[in-house]
Amino acid sequence: MSGIYIHIPFCKQACHYCDFHFSTSMKKKDEMVLALAKEIAMRKNEFINETVETIYFGGGTPSVLTNDEINFLLSEVYKNYKVVEHPEITLEANPDDLSSDRISELSNTLINRLSIGIQSFFEDDLQLMNRAHNADEAKKCLETATKYFDNVSIDLIYGIPGMSNEKWQQNIQTALDFGIPHISSYALTVEPKTALKKLIQTGKIAQPKDEVAEAHFMILVDTLQKNGFIHYELSNFGKSDYFSKNNSAYWLGKKYMGIGPSAHSYNGISRSWNVANNSLYLKTIEKKELPSEVEVLTVEDRYNEYIMTGLRTIWGVSLERIASEFGVTYLEYLQKQAQKFLEDELLFIENNILKPTLKGKFLTDGIASDLFILN
């Protein structure tokens, strides 16, 4: 089984923390939709022996597309690829795009999962992050979305400067009150070349504190687990049968194809990525060429990726797989590097599977990097 990711590189406005590829100008949207369709058709031979299980509209803000544009792109996928009978088809959306009428219309398309960028239910947080929606829109869209869609996921951000533990708990509780079956939650991260970085440097916004983010993370894990959510990936929590099939495929090493500017693809042997430039992407596709670079993964690369993705998930890192796929030398290296984290109770081994403890989960990325083999 494989997945197709379609990157929609447009947003109404730029969030202060975002470093994804997008444009706030919609002038080339029509041209971009046609180019995405062309790339979908051009690459069909890459998946000639694959069956598509998930289709994911990411961005950017995919909800800026009209229903006709969504249906057009989906028809191109179905025309050129083998698709399972009941695929997971996700649309990332912002609350300001999800009026009651729009949600009703979307329910009549093939979209069967909404991933809504709420981020916070508080006005001051949304303004600090320069979100395009307000708190009232966030709540109203969920009232309607949960009536029309069974499978709804929301994004929430923690560790925001000025956010108390009590305020964060209210954010989580509001989500629970809507009966949302899946929550993706991330610490506010200061990325280079973002507006947030500049605002912090000029003293207009306080620097996010790691200890605050860690406290929020622990509250999140505890509250959601008490409410029947499974913490199946570091930033993802789902009720049973509501895990994101698209994202799970990434973490489990399945093949995926990324369509659109800046989109990444993986075929088990190599990784490729399209140019992160809308104009250059359009010009290249017009010439019936793929605007991508390819990196063939070394054994060390594949080992490192398995360590990173494995530790982030409930499936952990199989020591048996390390030995069979990479060899005894890799297993011995992993065991040696992991020893200090086992002693500090940040990692543990159960049924020959290496996993982070609750205390270690918040530190997973740093721990993983210490287990990597450097090329």
Side-chain angles (χ1 to χ4, degrees):
M1 297 292 184
S2 304
I4 292 180
Y5 171 88
I6 303 173
H7 188 77
I8 308 302
F10 300 104
C11 289
K12 290 180 179 177
Q13 65 186 51
C15 299
H16 285 160
Y17 57 86
C18 184
D19 69 341
F20 291 155
H21 172 69
F22 65 91
S23 169
T24 54
S25 170
M26 303 286 174
K27 289 180 181 178
K28 295 183 178 179
K29 184 161 79 82
D30 292 349
E31 189 180 350
M32 181 62 69
V33 170
L34 292 174
L36 294 173
K38 285 182 182 178
E39 186 184 359
I40 289 169
M42 286 167 61
R43 298 180 65 184
K44 63 183 179 181
N45 287 339
E46 293 180 34
F47 270 18
I48 199 163
N49 296 316
E50 299 292 327
T51 302
V52 174
E53 184 181 21
T54 64
I55 304 168
Y56 192 100
F57 289 89
T61 311
S63 51
V64 301
L65 295 180
T66 65
N67 283 8
D68 285 344
E69 289 168 336
I70 291 170
N71 288 332
F72 169 61
L73 291 173
L74 286 174
S75 71
E76 290 301 303
V77 173
Y78 273 84
K79 188 190 305 180
N80 291 284
Y81 299 81
K82 289 180 287 187
V83 182
V84 295
E85 189 174 353
H86 299 292
E88 177 189 88
I89 305 180
T90 302
L91 179 78
E92 287 186 352
N94 279 350
D96 47 297
D97 293 324
L98 294 179
S99 66
S100 294
D101 287 345
R102 182 73 201 281
I103 293 170
S104 175
E105 291 167 1
L106 281 170
S107 71
N108 292 316
T109 69
L110 292 176
I111 300 294
N112 53 33
R113 183 175 184 270
L114 290 181
S115 177
I116 306 175
I118 299 292
Q119 314 309 356
S120 176
F121 292 101
F122 290 94
E123 205 65 54
D124 57 337
D125 295 337
L126 297 172
Q127 290 174 0
L128 180 147
M129 293 183 283
N130 199 40
R131 296 292 293 169
H133 69 278
N134 58 47
D136 188 50
E137 287 173 322
K139 293 173 183 177
K140 281 184 176 178
C141 84
L142 288 182
E143 285 178 11
T144 307
T146 49
K147 291 176 183 175
Y148 284 92
F149 287 85
D150 169 63
N151 199 348
V152 176
S153 175
I154 67 168
D155 288 354
L156 292 175
I157 291 180
Y158 58 87
I160 298 170
M163 178 182 277
S164 65
N165 289 351
E166 293 72 24
K167 189 177 177 184
W168 174 234
Q169 187 77 60
Q170 287 180 56
N171 259 334
I172 301 168
Q173 189 58 52
T174 300
L176 292 173
D177 290 343
F178 281 106
I180 303 300
H182 188 280
I183 294 174
S184 297
S185 193
Y186 310 89
L188 182 66
T189 305
V190 184
E191 300 290 353
K193 300 179 182 179
T194 60
L196 179 61
K197 177 77 172 178
K198 292 177 183 177
L199 289 167
I200 289 171
Q201 287 175 335
T202 56
K204 294 178 180 177
I205 292 178
Q207 175 78 34
K209 297 179 179 178
D210 289 344
E211 59 269 28
V212 171
E214 185 172 3
H216 289 178
F217 177 77
M218 293 302 181
I219 291 169
L220 177 72
V221 173
D222 181 59
T223 305
L224 292 185
Q225 288 184 338
K226 284 179 179 176
N227 282 274
F229 284 77
I230 300 167
H231 188 195
Y232 71 101
E233 194 272 340
L234 183 63
S235 303
N236 287 269
F237 304 77
K239 293 286 185 72
S240 182
D241 297 326
Y242 286 95
F243 294 3
S244 167
K245 291 180 182 177
N246 174 81
N247 292 353
S248 295
Y250 297 157
W251 303 317
L252 293 172
K254 294 184 180 181
K255 296 179 183 179
Y256 57 88
M257 180 185 295
I259 302 292
S262 80
H264 285 60
S265 303
Y266 172 72
N267 64 9
I269 300 170
S270 64
R271 189 173 302 285
S272 63
W273 55 94
N274 287 344
V275 63
N277 179 299
N278 286 4
S279 296
L280 188 53
Y281 172 84
L282 291 170
K283 289 176 183 176
T284 310
I285 292 292
E286 182 64 30
K287 293 187 290 186
K288 297 183 179 180
E289 297 174 4
L290 291 176
S292 62
E293 293 182 47
V294 179
E295 174 192 18
V296 177
L297 300 176
T298 65
V299 176
E300 289 85 358
D301 291 333
R302 289 191 288 108
Y303 164 87
N304 290 344
E305 288 202 5
Y306 177 51
I307 295 296
M308 174 61 78
T309 55
L311 286 184
R312 288 182 65 97
T313 70
I314 58 171
W315 302 290
V317 174
S318 166
L319 300 184
E320 289 180 8
R321 178 178 166 184
I322 293 291
S324 63
E325 189 172 324
F326 301 102
V328 175
T329 302
Y330 281 80
L331 177 60
E332 291 174 347
Y333 175 82
L334 174 59
Q335 291 171 325
K336 179 183 176 183
Q337 293 298 108
Q339 189 56 43
K340 60 182 177 181
F341 299 111
L342 293 166
E343 292 171 359
D344 292 340
E345 298 183 344
L346 297 174
L347 294 176
F348 72 103
I349 297 174
E350 182 179 64
N351 298 323
N352 223 18
I353 303 291
L354 182 68
K355 297 180 180 181
T357 62
L358 176 59
K359 188 168 67 170
K361 281 184 178 180
F362 186 73
L363 306 171
T364 295
D365 289 348
I367 294 171
S369 67
D370 277 359
L371 306 182
F372 288 170
I373 289 179
L374 301 179
N375 294 323

